[in-house]
Amino acid sequence: MPNYWEERYLKQYVLTCAKTIPRTGRKLAVFLNGWLMERLDSDLVDKFHQTGDNPFSVYIDEQPTTVKLVFNALDAEMETIFDELLLNPDLKKFEFVSASQKEFVILDRNVRVLTEKDLSKQFYLGKATGWYDLKIVSPMTFKSQGHYQFIPDVRLFFQSLMRKYNQAIENSEQIDVELLDEICKRTQITNYRLRTQRCFIHGGFVTGFLGYLTFRCYGSQTLKDYLGALLSFGEFSGVGAKASLGLGAIQLKNQKEENNGKA
């Protein structure tokens, strides 16, 4: 296993569970977050609440006959916690008292790693075409000027992603505004098939959008490669608000696995 402090890396845990009802419900990711919070040290939970910076994301990827419960660790501490919790052979099922489906039996576990070297390789190979087809797996929304914005927006999308990247990889909350301006100038949404969905979170509803979205970058090869690496990171971090509660999960649909994390 690589040393996190020598090379930063991200880890994704996908637990495929049996599905016994047609639809598991919109609140399942919130219940999953609650399940996790109950198993974390109270001081760590308080820290998350105080800072608002959660070094993890979770989401639900519902399939016709199964449901995938996905956990992403964005730092070494969360990786250790998820290793102990999710890879423990004694964990055979999840139980959620308030969910439509009460019990989720684990059928399979997969772990995927994305290293800083993987991202650098993707950036320096210079092979990005400038077309990025995304699946927005769970509702995405952005917190802007005190309100939630649930319309796809190039600036809000990449601003969120750059901030998450800098927090996880660079240990900084600052982003390069000039680079963000260049992204917005050279990148457009060229296609989308989206719908809105309301999610009940902490006593209120949050509206987001999900479906399929295509970005095209008309900038330099360097900018195209940077966006490709940034979006690969986004598969682990999520995009927008409340990624730790299941919102903003993305999957890249047009990149090869070897450039997009290793199983």
Side-chain angles (χ1 to χ4, degrees), residues 13 20 32-33 35 37 40 42 68 73 82 86 102 112 143 146 189 191 193 196 224 230 242 248 251 263:
Y13 307 75
T20 60
L32 192 62
N33 176 277
W35 177 90
M37 293 300 106
L40 296 182
S42 60
K68 295 180 179 181
F82 284 166
L86 305 176
K102 310 297 183 187
R112 178 178 163 216
K143 195 71 176 288
I189 296 172
N191 189 33
R193 190 167 76 252
T196 57
K224 292 175 182 177
L230 198 61
K242 300 191 180 299
Q251 293 174 357

Side-chain angles (χ1 to χ4, degrees), residues 18-25 28 62-67 99-104:
K19 183 175 159 186
T20 60
I21 59 176
R23 295 288 297 173
T24 59
L28 186 56
E62 191 162 351
Q63 308 294 317
T65 59
T66 61
V67 58
S100 300
Q101 179 177 323
K102 310 297 183 187
E103 184 177 281
F104 292 82

Side-chain angles (χ1 to χ4, degrees), residues 20 34 65 79 91 145 213 242 248 252:
T20 60
T65 59
E79 181 214 355
L91 178 65
Q145 298 180 347
L213 178 66
K242 300 191 180 299
L252 275 168

Side-chain angles (χ1 to χ4, degrees), residues 1 33 43 87 143 154 169 172 211 234 242 261:
M1 180 179 295
N33 176 277
D43 289 340
L87 303 183
K143 195 71 176 288
V154 172
I169 304 297
S172 170
K242 300 191 180 299

Side-chain angles (χ1 to χ4, degrees), residues 182-199:
E182 182 69 9
I183 291 171
C184 295
K185 182 179 178 181
R186 304 294 182 184
T187 307
Q188 295 180 353
I189 296 172
T190 58
N191 189 33
Y192 61 85
R193 190 167 76 252
L194 302 170
R195 60 187 175 88
T196 57
Q197 185 178 96
R198 298 178 76 201
C199 302

Side-chain angles (χ1 to χ4, degrees), residues 15 38 49 55 57 63 70 107 123 134 148 168 185 204 216 261:
L15 282 69
E38 290 174 357
H49 288 159
S57 67
Q63 308 294 317
V70 184
L107 304 176
F123 178 76
L134 305 181
Y148 289 108
K185 182 179 178 181
R216 185 178 183 187

